[in-house]
Amino acid sequence: MRSTMRYMIALSLAILVAPLPLLAAEDFSGSVEVGAAGVSIEDSQLRVNEYNVIRPDDGVTAYGKAAIASHSDGLGVDLGADVMGARDQKYGLGLDVYRVLKLDASFQSFGRWTDHDQMNYLDAAIPDGSLYTGGILTPNNVPGFVDKTTGVGVASGTAGSQQVGRAGLYGEDFMKNDDFFITHRNLENELSVTIPQLPQVTFHAGYRIEQREGMEQSIGMSKCTTCHITGMGKQIDEETKDLSAGLTGRFGALTVDYEYLDREFRENAGNAGRVYDPALAPSSGTTYTPGNAVFDNRLLFDYEDGVLPYDVTPDSDKESHVLKARIALPNRSEVLGSYVSAEVESKITDEPGIWTMAEEKLTTSYDGYGLKAATRLGDRIRLTLRGKVEELEDSEAHLTFFPMGTTAQPNLGGGTLPSSIAATRHSVVTRDVLSLGADMVYRLARKSTLRLSYDFREDDREDDHFGKTETHTAKAALKMRPGKTLSMRASVAYEKTRNPLQNPDAAGYIDPLTGLPYTDNPTSAIAIGNGPLYGTAYYDKRQTDLSNLPEDSYEGKVNFTWSPSADFSGSFNLRVRSEENALDRSEWKQLTYVPGASLWYAASEKVDLTFAYTYMGQSTEAKFCQGWYDG
């Protein structure tokens, strides 16, 4: 923070002092603006003021703007300042020395409101309090089974009972009246040097610091009770430092560009912490005996371990190399190629006594190869072909877990779990990606063009559990001007995805006695929660895939703009998108429609008015909800 403040002060002084020697320049211009701006917001700040441009809350703020430009004898200087209160500020410095050395420096500070989930919708699966006579329903007072007639909590296996409690959700926002706000500070410096003796090559370097400070909401969950979801605050004090260097060379028809980047990310705030609820399931009732609970040896931790860190953001370091080349060919044709290589190392901190990891850091590497060619076929057609091959590799993690000690359980065959369990985590990130595409632009007539495109993408994941995903996308777009005052754009697109990333066998418990789903079982002997294998074999009998990603997507867009005069224009636009996924035992659908209109009028050379309205409607249909959590 101190380094950024020093840069900001130095840049501010440069802007204030620089005008003095520049007043004698041959080409000098400047402007100063001062005033006040106010804002008044009802309801949520996030809806209209996420990135506040005037002030973060209601009230009036004094502001000032200044711009100075001086160009003389090969020396050019541009200075700018935009101050909107104490937090929202922007400073800029541009320097050009005989076109040999160019410097662009800027500092910007602004705020952003972050999401605040009140979680008041998460009680959808909790039984109605009027049906339960055992008291007020809370995370610590939710029965595992209730009598269907009286609603009284009973033991598992009781005739005429229904399991409800352990399959419920319960949400609590511990910071209902708090705001979550992040202050961003960005300092950027870009320097380029062109040596007169080597004019074909330009050397460039950059240095950037980005800081984020404030608080955001952190969501956590306790399991093996009611699924108790809580919202708390997490302090943010992040700093990202970038150092880059490279060169650009122009050799006739060939242009080559190379850039190296070294990035360091650090989270300087402490980790968020929480105390997890005691484990109750699958025991009946709500009685908990510390150190001797039935379910403890299936867990790594609960409330006995006290405050534990969660929602941890690891420190990381990144290095990347980017090489691009372009060859200009006759007939306005060109070929472009690129190669990108990057490696990220994340530093992971384990929790001794609960879980440990053999590796001190995890590494993710990326290699990408791209090729693009464009040419003209006659006077009316321009054709573009492109392809890219990407290789992503994420290191495996070798983990050791230490379950909580407890007495033997009958559903483990009378035994207990070992003192430690070793496991290897295979990352879903590791994959090979192939992307191919083609575009054709056909000029139908003057000021009218038709664009046709096709894209193919294949994600071949190393983890066979998720398999291979193939996506085909076809699009057609028309742009035309039917008259002098009217213009229009329209497009349609279709996307077909085979095997989108989804969760196989995520729900839909199949009763082993009948072979039927839980809700279709015609008998009263439903084997849920009563058998000795509940908790070990129960989840293995789920056979329904779930996903909120579409297999088929249809999208249409249209825009009309009417400009009867130079000082007035109006436009209308509409976007409709339909998505669906015909899963094996369910179906997911989503329909989105976004109409909008805008009017623009220039009352004078210095005053113009804009009115815009946008409406978004979205409906989603799925057969699974929170109430079906138990399958």
Side-chain angles (χ1 to χ4, degrees), residues 192-205:
S192 63
V193 178
T194 303
I195 302 175
Q197 292 77 13
L198 192 62
Q200 300 91 349
V201 179
T202 300
F203 300 90
H204 46 84

Side-chain angles (χ1 to χ4, degrees), residues 410-427:
N411 57 0
L412 288 177
T416 60
L417 292 178
S419 59
S420 64
I421 301 174
T424 300
R425 162 222 178 243
H426 302 280
S427 174

Side-chain angles (χ1 to χ4, degrees), residues 58-182:
D58 293 352
V60 178
T61 296
Y63 74 87
K65 297 181 181 180
I68 299 173
S70 174
H71 300 274
S72 177
D73 297 330
L75 177 64
V77 179
D78 292 281
L79 299 169
D82 188 343
V83 179
M84 185 71 70
R87 177 185 289 111
D88 301 309
Q89 303 181 8
K90 183 187 297 184
Y91 304 92
L93 168 64
L95 180 64
D96 187 340
V97 182
Y98 297 98
R99 297 186 179 181
V100 174
L101 183 148
K102 293 183 179 180
L103 171 66
D104 288 312
S106 65
F107 173 83
Q108 183 178 14
S109 174
F110 62 95
R112 176 182 176 236
W113 294 96
T114 61
D115 289 338
H116 187 170
D117 190 341
Q118 300 286 340
M119 295 181 292
N120 48 12
Y121 52 86
L122 290 176
D123 58 353
I126 298 293
D128 187 344
S130 63
L131 300 179
Y132 175 48
T133 59
I136 300 175
L137 292 170
T138 70
N140 299 319
N141 188 25
V142 179
F145 297 82
V146 296
D147 186 279
K148 293 181 179 180
T149 303
T150 65
V152 176
V154 296
S156 63
T158 302
S161 66
Q162 171 65 54
Q163 181 185 17
V164 289
R166 305 297 177 250
L169 296 173
Y170 196 92
E172 283 188 297
D173 181 12
F174 294 135
M175 305 183 72
K176 289 184 178 181
N177 299 319
D178 289 71
D179 295 324
F180 297 107
F181 191 83
I182 301 294

Side-chain angles (χ1 to χ4, degrees), residues 198-204 246-258 323-326:
L198 192 62
Q200 300 91 349
V201 179
T202 300
F203 300 90
H204 46 84
L247 57 87
T248 301
R250 301 171 180 85
F251 310 97
L254 174 64
T255 301
V256 179
D257 184 83
Y258 167 77
L323 178 63
K324 299 178 182 179
R326 175 182 178 272

Side-chain angles (χ1 to χ4, degrees), residues 181-410:
F181 191 83
I182 301 294
T183 298
H184 296 250
R185 298 181 181 89
N186 297 331
L187 172 69
E188 296 189 27
N189 299 276
E190 294 183 4
L191 176 68
S192 63
V193 178
T194 303
I195 302 175
Q197 292 77 13
L198 192 62
Q200 300 91 349
V201 179
T202 300
F203 300 90
H204 46 84
Y207 181 63
R208 183 180 76 95
I209 298 178
E210 177 183 357
Q211 294 177 331
R212 298 173 66 247
E213 286 186 336
M215 180 177 290
E216 63 183 17
Q217 188 179 35
S218 183
I219 306 296
M221 181 175 73
S222 291
K223 294 189 65 177
C224 305
T225 65
T226 296
C227 287
H228 185 193
I229 301 176
T230 57
M232 292 176 281
K234 176 183 177 181
Q235 288 293 136
I236 301 297
D237 185 7
E238 298 176 350
E239 183 176 70
T240 303
K241 294 181 180 180
D242 288 352
L243 180 64
S244 61
L247 57 87
T248 301
R250 301 171 180 85
F251 310 97
L254 174 64
T255 301
V256 179
D257 184 83
Y258 167 77
E259 181 171 302
Y260 167 79
L261 172 68
D262 181 87
R263 172 173 294 171
E264 177 185 273
F265 171 83
R266 296 293 181 266
E267 170 57 82
N268 300 313
N271 296 323
R274 62 167 294 146
V275 177
Y276 290 84
D277 291 353
L280 301 177
S283 60
S284 60
T286 58
T287 302
Y288 179 77
T289 303
N292 194 33
V294 177
F295 210 42
D296 271 4
N297 70 350
R298 305 288 184 80
L299 300 176
L300 301 178
F301 52 84
D302 71 354
Y303 92 110
E304 294 181 45
D305 293 282
V307 179
L308 294 175
Y310 82 111
D311 195 8
V312 177
T313 303
D315 293 341
S316 63
D317 296 287
K318 174 183 178 180
E319 284 190 353
S320 67
H321 304 266
V322 179
L323 178 63
K324 299 178 182 179
R326 175 182 178 272
I327 301 176
L329 301 174
N331 194 30
R332 288 186 286 181
S333 302
E334 63 179 6
V335 176
L336 299 93
S338 65
Y339 169 68
V340 179
S341 177
E343 184 176 275
V344 179
E345 292 183 350
S346 299
K347 299 176 177 61
I348 307 298
T349 302
D350 53 18
E351 193 69 29
I354 296 178
W355 69 278
T356 59
M357 188 172 71
E359 295 79 8
E360 295 183 357
K361 60 185 178 182
L362 297 178
T363 302
T364 303
S365 62
Y366 170 89
D367 290 282
Y369 310 82
L371 185 64
K372 177 181 177 181
T375 187
R376 282 191 172 274
L377 303 177
D379 297 331
R380 292 179 175 270
I381 299 177
R382 182 167 181 82
L383 180 64
T384 303
L385 302 175
R386 57 185 179 274
K388 180 185 288 187
V389 176
E390 300 168 277
E391 300 175 354
L392 293 91
E393 185 174 353
D394 199 13
S395 57
E396 295 180 343
H398 299 86
L399 307 169
T400 302
F401 302 101
F402 302 94
M404 297 175 64
T406 187
T407 56
Q409 301 182 45

